[in-house]
Amino acid sequence: AIACTWLGIDCSDSFFITDIVFPRPVVGQFPVRLDRALALISIFFPATSDLQHSSIPASLCHHPSLLQLVATSCNLGGSLPSCLFNSVLLTVILADNHLEGQIPPLSSGVSGVSLARNQLTGSFPETFSNATSLIFLDVSYNMLEGPLPASLGQDVILNAKQLFVNNNRLTGGYPTGLSALYGTVTYEPYGASSSNLALDLRNNLFD
């Protein structure tokens, strides 16, 4: 209950911690025992925090209530847990860090993901079609390789409204559904429209 009086800590009526919003940049390792805060819904690290190249702990995969994780420009490192999106997390914003390795498989529940400006490698996630609730995905400015999934065009039409894959090393041709949706697909961003659709494919190695 004492923690509920601290700046940046919100609690439920039963004095369970529900939100952690650090009021100023943090210096130190990413906390590994968040699983003890069973009612925690969101955690927000201010930009320019220094998490000392620590990694996201796999224990977050099993957290029963954590819906939002935000840590942009916080000096995170290492690879993302392979189970990260098989959790209850809905929004994961980890742009502008030093994350490596592959993008974990996406699940049906996740709605917003930003992993832009890291050092992620491997292919664009084939599990994109599983993410039926996804409305925003930004994996720009990484080192992703290979083709986009053939199903991507239809998936964008049905599910994702904003997709940014620019500035990677993607190859191959465009999925046909993208041409049907955007007319003539170019490397220019589609931009916002009345339906908030956006697509950016620039600066890759497409045919």
Side-chain angles (χ1 to χ4, degrees):
I2 294 176
C4 296
T5 65
W6 298 347
L7 185 64
I9 301 293
D10 290 332
C11 294
S12 67
D13 293 339
S14 302
F15 300 105
F16 289 106
I17 296 174
T18 58
D19 299 275
I20 301 176
V21 181
F22 293 102
R24 59 184 62 87
V26 174
V27 177
Q29 299 278 304
F30 192 100
V32 297
R33 297 313 307 267
L34 288 175
D35 54 325
R36 293 183 175 180
L38 297 179
L40 185 63
I41 297 173
S42 66
I43 182 168
F44 176 87
F45 292 93
T48 71
S49 292
D50 183 5
L51 298 181
Q52 300 179 337
H53 219 70
S54 57
S55 57
I56 303 293
S59 59
L60 286 190
C61 300
H62 311 295
H63 197 286
S65 61
L66 187 64
L67 302 180
Q68 184 179 60
L69 172 62
V70 180
T72 298
S73 300
C74 289
N75 195 24
L76 279 169
S79 59
L80 294 170
S82 60
C83 55
L84 183 63
F85 298 119
N86 288 322
S87 63
V88 299
L89 277 166
L90 301 180
T91 305
V92 177
I93 309 298
L94 301 174
D96 292 290
N97 283 292
H98 306 284
L99 300 172
E100 302 172 339
Q102 299 190 2
I103 299 173
L106 300 172
S107 65
S108 60
V110 64
S111 60
V113 177
S114 178
L115 301 173
R117 294 181 173 85
N118 281 286
Q119 289 92 52
L120 296 171
T121 56
S123 60
F124 185 89
E126 289 286 344
T127 52
F128 183 84
S129 59
N130 297 337
T132 53
S133 300
L134 193 66
I135 59 174
F136 177 86
L137 176 64
D138 188 351
V139 292
S140 60
Y141 293 92
N142 279 287
M143 295 179 284
L144 303 180
E145 299 179 321
L148 292 172
S151 61
L152 181 64
Q154 187 67 20
D155 292 334
V156 169
I157 294 171
L158 295 177
N159 305 312
K161 298 182 182 297
Q162 298 184 349
L163 175 64
F164 302 93
V165 297
N166 52 292
N167 295 84
N168 279 283
R169 301 172 182 174
L170 297 169
T171 56
Y174 295 114
T176 55
L178 293 183
S179 296
L181 177 60
Y182 299 108
T184 302
V185 178
T186 69
Y187 295 112
E188 297 301 319
Y190 182 77
S193 70
S194 59
S195 60
N196 295 318
L197 287 167
L199 173 69
D200 197 339
L201 304 172
R202 293 174 297 169
N203 299 325
N204 280 286
L205 302 174
F206 293 121
D207 296 341

